[in-house]
Amino acid sequence: MEDMLLMAENKGLGLPQTKGSFQLQGIVTGTEKDNFYKEILTKEKKKPFRMVKFGIKTDKDTNVYVNLNGGEQEEVYFSKTQTVDNKKTTTVEKIPWRDRFKFNKEGFRMIGVNVGVTKKTDDKGKQVNDKKILTPYDACKEIGDNLKDDQSVFVRGTVDYSHFSDNNGNTKRSVKFIPSQVSLCKDVDFEVDGFEPTKLFTQTIVFTGIEQDQDDKGKFIVSAKIIGFNSVEDAEFVILNKDLANQFRKGLKPYYSLTVNGLINMAKEVEEVSTEDHWGEENKMTKVNAPTIRELIITGADPKTIDKETYSEVKIEEAIAKVNANKKAEKDFGSK
């Protein structure tokens, strides 16, 4: 997927996208669940569509789920990068979907998902990953057929932000981790001396504010906008370092953009327990587990990436207006 960045800068809303990426290394979970791998038909065109979802246990307390899906496409893209006169140039070729496995022009690589979830023996007799670059549609099948619980994997990809309305009309926000690489790796051992989990993210944000959490004074909530190709999403990040939080307050103004980095954390909401009645332990058979919350904890930021000019409240509002106009046009077109 990283090769996609070589293509033309995507400015569907007239603003540069604020990109995010992640890296995870850990032990696979969730492949025995019914929703691990699915094949369906799209609602409108009834075309094949595949989905895969699995967890990566990065330490004793954190289990991060990644999602990948894709359908049949009209065309597949291959790219080739060359350096001529100290300048890098990228050539992209479109190939019909049916020919995606036949194209083997020298120097060209498919723009897709890097998958290495099976082993093969190389020329030296060593067991290595059987590396493949596949479309998301084919990658889902490769992962669904071969990935198993308790295998150790390295996964990297992009962070996707979205929102939806629940049955009560409340806005719910979603953060998904979309893999561009899934590779078997050496066994991960949480008990080994000096173990440090790999659950990292990097994200360019449009900063809009920072507030101290009222329930946890050691936590600071950073509000931000995330600019996509045709979306403007609200997002929240967490800072636990007071000095870093103060630096954000002093060094940033609303609508400055910058690149932050940190850790992906999974935390459970704490349910209040009444102490007025003393009827012993609750029935564990009827207990509903506290919901799990995904937190993106900022541990650092690159001051060299601070951009004071590209984004502003007016530009963001104009972009949101474009998003709403596009949605209305799609809805009107569909109703006709």
Side-chain angles (χ1 to χ4, degrees), residues 131-177:
K131 298 178 182 179
K132 303 174 183 179
I133 303 177
L134 302 169
T135 66
Y137 177 80
D138 296 312
C140 286
K141 178 69 171 172
E142 179 77 3
I143 294 168
D145 285 348
N146 296 290
L147 200 64
K148 306 296 181 187
D149 279 4
D150 299 323
Q151 289 180 312
S152 294
V153 293
F154 174 80
V155 180
R156 76 168 82 218
T158 58
V159 188
D160 178 76
Y161 302 81
S162 61
H163 70 276
F164 60 94
S165 295
D166 64 15
N167 294 332
N168 297 320
N170 300 314
T171 299
K172 300 292 184 180
R173 306 205 175 276
S174 172
V175 179
K176 289 185 178 180
F177 300 100

Side-chain angles (χ1 to χ4, degrees), residues 67-260:
N67 303 71
L68 180 66
N69 57 57
E72 292 186 353
Q73 305 163 201
E74 294 293 328
E75 295 155 333
V76 177
Y77 294 87
F78 287 77
S79 68
K80 178 181 180 179
T81 301
Q82 294 176 295
T83 301
V84 180
D85 296 331
N86 295 322
K87 291 183 180 180
K88 281 189 176 182
T89 60
T90 300
T91 305
V92 177
E93 289 200 16
K94 293 189 297 185
I95 306 301
W97 174 258
R98 64 180 180 275
D99 296 330
R100 65 192 186 280
F101 296 123
K102 301 175 185 177
F103 184 80
N104 60 356
K105 203 168 180 180
E106 185 177 356
F108 280 82
R109 299 171 72 246
M110 179 187 287
I111 299 175
V113 183
N114 292 274
V115 183
V117 292
T118 60
K119 293 289 187 179
K120 69 176 182 179
T121 304
D122 67 9
D123 296 338
K124 298 179 180 178
K126 185 180 178 181
Q127 285 284 297
V128 297
N129 286 351
D130 186 5
K131 298 178 182 179
K132 303 174 183 179
I133 303 177
L134 302 169
T135 66
Y137 177 80
D138 296 312
C140 286
K141 178 69 171 172
E142 179 77 3
I143 294 168
D145 285 348
N146 296 290
L147 200 64
K148 306 296 181 187
D149 279 4
D150 299 323
Q151 289 180 312
S152 294
V153 293
F154 174 80
V155 180
R156 76 168 82 218
T158 58
V159 188
D160 178 76
Y161 302 81
S162 61
H163 70 276
F164 60 94
S165 295
D166 64 15
N167 294 332
N168 297 320
N170 300 314
T171 299
K172 300 292 184 180
R173 306 205 175 276
S174 172
V175 179
K176 289 185 178 180
F177 300 100
I178 313 297
S180 60
Q181 177 185 345
V182 181
S183 303
L184 298 177
C185 66
K186 64 180 181 180
D187 290 345
V188 174
D189 184 356
F190 304 147
E191 304 295 339
V192 70
D193 290 342
F195 171 78
E196 289 189 10
T198 300
K199 48 180 183 179
L200 309 172
F201 80 92
T202 299
Q203 178 69 56
T204 299
I205 66 172
V206 179
F207 173 82
T208 55
I210 181 170
E211 298 286 342
Q212 188 174 37
D213 191 297
Q214 295 304 306
D215 298 321
D216 183 351
K217 299 300 183 181
K219 179 186 290 188
F220 302 85
I221 307 301
V222 175
S223 301
K225 300 285 187 184
I226 306 296
I227 313 301
F229 171 62
N230 194 25
S231 66
V232 177
E233 299 290 343
D234 290 316
E236 285 189 348
F237 300 82
V238 172
I239 293 180
L240 301 178
N241 183 317
K242 185 177 180 180
D243 291 337
L244 180 59
N246 287 335
Q247 187 62 47
F248 267 60
R249 283 184 172 136
K250 292 188 298 182
L252 299 176
K253 292 182 179 180
Y255 300 98
Y256 283 13
S257 69
L258 79 162
T259 300
V260 301

